Each structure stands twice: as structure tokens, then as C-alpha cells.
Amino acid sequence: MASRFCIQRARAYSTVAKIPKRRGEYIYGASTCLAALQAKRRRIYNMFIQEGTQQGERALEMIKLEELHKYAQEHNIALYWMPKASLDRMSNERPTQGIIFDAEPLKFKSMHPEECRISEAKRRENPIWLALDGVTDPMNLGAILRCSYYFGVERVVVTPRNSCSLTAVVSKASAGAMELFTVHAVADLAEFLKSAERNDWFIVGTCAPPPDTTCAPPPDTPIEMTPVLDCTRLKVIKPTLILIGNESKGLRSTIKRLCKQMISIYPSRTLKHGFDSLNVSVATGILLHTLQTSKRTKEK
């Protein structure tokens, strides 16, 4: 009977012949691979470790070799030791930190618009959900998922037709958060927002500061007189849905019209022409930290 577990060392001169045919997609990086093992949402087909260098040893500081052995034995997975050049080809020259898994791809989880109806107990917690309207760069999506997981966002929602897929690049950019965090998909974002409004969610849109703005409106300016509110003034006092728009165009006008409040991150200096906003993932991290701080302040 063949052994259920094997370690194979591929020689540099025969690397291509030794790499088994890919069955899923290659995910890479120590954090990503560790998260994939912990989450158990993917099937792992093969494991590849960089041999004879500090990179491979560094990866195994996070993912203990004994744990890989145990996982491989339990799931009948082969573990291959590979030269760096082979791993680089497998990852299309992206940094691997000395570890790659051939794994089943992750997909969005389909969500019905009425799923925004939540229990009264959950409502009292004032949860924050994030909806993405056209974030297409995988690095940005990964960084947004990382921020969302870190800052306690309970759900991230996208529309698949104007979003990048859940690729290995997204997972690496998220430092593995994508492995731990289900991303939901709705067919029609506008219908989802209308359902959220019927279920008493506060819908908040985001945008760049108004043109020629050098600072936020004075704090004593009535909110109803502030079309674009400084994010530090928004208080999370009910279930809140934050909308993040496309990297270059922002939110679509049809989506903006469904927002009850627009917020922005105002600059702290006069900005040069053409430099009027932050990277979408950086802005998302700042917004989420600000809103979660407002929740903690209220709870005290």
C-alpha cells in the first residue's frame, strides 16, 4: 500500500518534470497558507516549501513542519521541497516567503438582499457592514479585507460583475484575512441597499472631500447643513452600512442617491492639484478605525 504521506525533493535541473499538475490555484505566503490551514475552507492538494534557504526556514517558523506533516498525513497531501526558482515561476514572480499551496479556489458566498434583516440582540450591538461598489484592484480588495477583519466589520458585500475575484493575489494582500473572512455577493447592490433601508440600517456613502477644501467644516456646523460630513463626526448608533466606491470613479450616482449621509476624510493641509484623495484601502482603514472608535466611546 502506498504511503499516505510523502516528502519529495525536486532537483533544480528537473524541477519542471517534478512539479505535479496544478489542480486548483497556487496560494502563497506564510500568513496566507497558515490562515488557509486554520480556516479549513479550502481543499489543499499539494504543499511546496523552499529548500535550503532562510526563506523556507522563516516560513516554517510560522507554520511548523510538524503541523504540516500532520495535516498532510490526515488529508493525504504530498509535501514537496523546491528550489526558489521553481516557486517564483509558480507564483508568477510574486514573493512567496518560501511556501506555496496548490489549493481549491475560494468563491463569493451568494447573499439574498433580505439577509440584512438581523435579530434585535444583534441590532443592539450596532454592527458595521461594508459594501464595495466597483473595487477592481486585487491589492486594494485584499487590503480592504485585512482592515475589515482587523476592525471588526461583520460582513463585506460585493457585486461580482464589478469586483475582482477572490484570487491568490487578493489573499496575499490581505495577509490571509480572505481565508478567515467570508465575502458575500449580491446580484444588485441598489436592491440590497433598499432592503437594508427597510430593515433600518443607516446607509453611509464615502467620497473625496469637496473641491478646494483645505479643512473640515467647523465642528459646530449642523450636520444637516454639511453635505459631506467629516468622518470623525459620524456616530455609530444603529446598524451601519458603509459604501466604498471604485478606485478612480468612486460610488456610482445611482448608489449615492440611496445614501442617507456622505462622509469623507478631510486633509490637514492645502493639497496640490491632482492630489485630492487617499488610496481606497488606506481610506477604508482610517474610516473603519474612526467609526469603531465612535462605537467604543458611546459604549463607555
Side-chain angles (χ1 to χ4, degrees), residues 53-97:
T53 69
Q54 291 182 346
Q55 283 282 13
E57 294 172 4
R58 192 174 301 125
L60 294 177
E61 289 177 4
M62 295 185 63
I63 308 177
K64 301 300 184 184
L65 186 57
E66 293 80 5
E67 294 179 12
L68 287 184
H69 284 187
K70 181 180 178 181
Y71 190 93
Q73 288 176 326
E74 291 174 351
H75 297 85
N76 196 26
I77 300 170
L79 193 159
Y80 295 82
W81 294 86
M82 310 293 293
K84 181 179 185 299
S86 299
L87 297 187
D88 288 343
R89 285 196 296 272
M90 294 163 69
S91 69
N92 292 320
E93 305 300 325
R94 293 183 178 273
T96 68
Q97 295 178 293

Side-chain angles (χ1 to χ4, degrees), residues 34-46:
L34 176 59
L37 291 181
Q38 292 175 335
K40 299 179 181 178
R41 295 173 59 209
R42 296 180 185 256
R43 181 178 178 183
I44 309 298
Y45 300 116
N46 289 299

Side-chain angles (χ1 to χ4, degrees), residues 12-245:
Y13 60 80
S14 60
T15 296
V16 175
K18 293 293 184 179
I19 298 176
K21 183 178 179 180
R22 188 177 67 184
R23 299 174 62 186
E25 67 174 354
Y26 290 140
I27 62 174
Y28 45 86
S31 296
T32 297
C33 293
L34 176 59
L37 291 181
Q38 292 175 335
K40 299 179 181 178
R41 295 173 59 209
R42 296 180 185 256
R43 181 178 178 183
I44 309 298
Y45 300 116
N46 289 299
M47 301 176 177
F48 305 91
I49 302 294
Q50 185 173 327
E51 66 176 355
T53 69
Q54 291 182 346
Q55 283 282 13
E57 294 172 4
R58 192 174 301 125
L60 294 177
E61 289 177 4
M62 295 185 63
I63 308 177
K64 301 300 184 184
L65 186 57
E66 293 80 5
E67 294 179 12
L68 287 184
H69 284 187
K70 181 180 178 181
Y71 190 93
Q73 288 176 326
E74 291 174 351
H75 297 85
N76 196 26
I77 300 170
L79 193 159
Y80 295 82
W81 294 86
M82 310 293 293
K84 181 179 185 299
S86 299
L87 297 187
D88 288 343
R89 285 196 296 272
M90 294 163 69
S91 69
N92 292 320
E93 305 300 325
R94 293 183 178 273
T96 68
Q97 295 178 293
I99 185 166
I100 292 179
F101 287 172
D102 180 3
E104 177 184 19
L106 286 180
K107 299 183 182 300
F108 298 121
K109 182 178 181 180
S110 181
M111 176 182 173
H112 192 277
E114 291 302 321
E115 287 185 49
C116 59
R117 185 183 297 116
I118 58 177
S119 68
E120 190 58 37
K122 176 60 69 176
R123 180 172 295 280
R124 286 194 293 269
E125 297 176 6
N126 299 328
I128 294 175
W129 286 10
L130 200 66
L132 308 182
D133 182 30
V135 175
T136 57
D137 185 285
M139 300 295 288
N140 282 332
L141 178 57
I144 287 172
L145 293 179
R146 183 176 187 175
C147 291
S148 298
Y149 185 77
Y150 188 88
F151 286 119
V153 171
E154 295 202 3
R155 187 166 294 194
V156 174
V157 181
V158 304
T159 47
R161 69 175 178 273
N162 66 355
S163 171
C164 60
S165 302
L166 298 179
T167 64
V169 176
V170 176
S171 189
K172 181 67 165 63
S174 76
M178 189 187 93
E179 308 296 323
L180 307 170
F181 198 59
T182 300
V183 182
H184 293 78
V186 293
D188 189 322
L189 184 57
E191 288 303 314
F192 169 71
L193 296 178
K194 292 173 184 177
S195 176
E197 183 180 9
R198 290 194 298 270
N199 286 279
D200 200 30
W201 283 77
F202 187 46
I203 302 173
V204 179
T206 57
C207 62
D212 302 320
T213 300
T214 58
C215 62
D220 56 353
T221 305
I223 289 179
E224 60 272 15
M225 295 177 60
T226 310
V228 179
L229 189 69
D230 180 5
C231 67
T232 60
R233 295 189 62 194
L234 183 68
K235 304 302 179 185
V236 179
I237 57 175
K238 63 188 300 186
T240 300
L241 183 57
I242 307 296
L243 287 155
I244 304 294

